[in-house]
Amino acid sequence: MSSPWEVDAALVRRALEAARPALGTGDVPVGAVLVDADGVELARACNAREAARDPTAHAELLALRSGAARLGAWRLAGTTLAVTVEPCTMCAGALVAARVSRLVFGAWEPRTGAVGSLWDVVRDRRLNHRPEVVGPDVLGPELAAECSALLQGFFARYR
């Protein structure tokens, strides 16, 4: 039987797989996977802002939209959203609004992160919903390095 840490790490690795299609499209390679309480995948997505010409086409939002459509409900209670990198303010707000139960992410994003780096939207006590958060401090430095490497490789091409 797998430990909760191993299950969460495996979810982030699935999000890494989901991010790879963004490579070569001009989109930042971020991936997200939404699963139900039993671990059944409801949706997966990668950033598609360039392809969709949509500033809101972040992997997290696309996965939330697809998962809600699949479930036929906007309330995603009981679900876990796994993401390669710490969500931004928009995505953090959306997962709170969607009532996602758990957020698991692989790497910190010190410039735009809204789950502890720059802001902490998901744990703001003034909000009506606060998901459980599992981040790189729990998942370990190896997985964080793997998630960060995907982003660093992408941005190295533009420097």
Side-chain angles (χ1 to χ4, degrees), residues 3 88-89 104 116 150:
S3 73
C88 70
T89 308
V104 180
L150 190 62

Side-chain angles (χ1 to χ4, degrees), residues 86 88-89 111-121:
E86 180 182 7
C88 70
T89 308
R111 291 185 190 104
T112 62
V115 186
S117 287
L118 192 55
W119 296 287
D120 200 348
V121 171

Side-chain angles (χ1 to χ4, degrees), residues 62-136:
L62 297 173
L64 292 175
R65 287 177 191 152
S66 181
R70 181 167 177 190
L71 291 174
W74 65 267
R75 287 181 186 89
L76 300 175
T79 63
T80 297
L81 181 67
V83 188
T84 55
V85 67
E86 180 182 7
C88 70
T89 308
M90 174 179 66
C91 295
L95 72 95
V96 167
R99 312 300 197 272
V100 170
S101 295
R102 298 180 74 242
L103 168 66
V104 180
F105 67 96
W108 294 106
E109 174 40 82
R111 291 185 190 104
T112 62
V115 186
S117 287
L118 192 55
W119 296 287
D120 200 348
V121 171
V122 299
R123 288 179 275 235
D124 189 320
R125 296 222 174 264
R126 295 170 291 184
L127 297 175
N128 63 336
H129 176 74
R130 287 178 298 282
E132 175 189 347
V133 176
V134 177

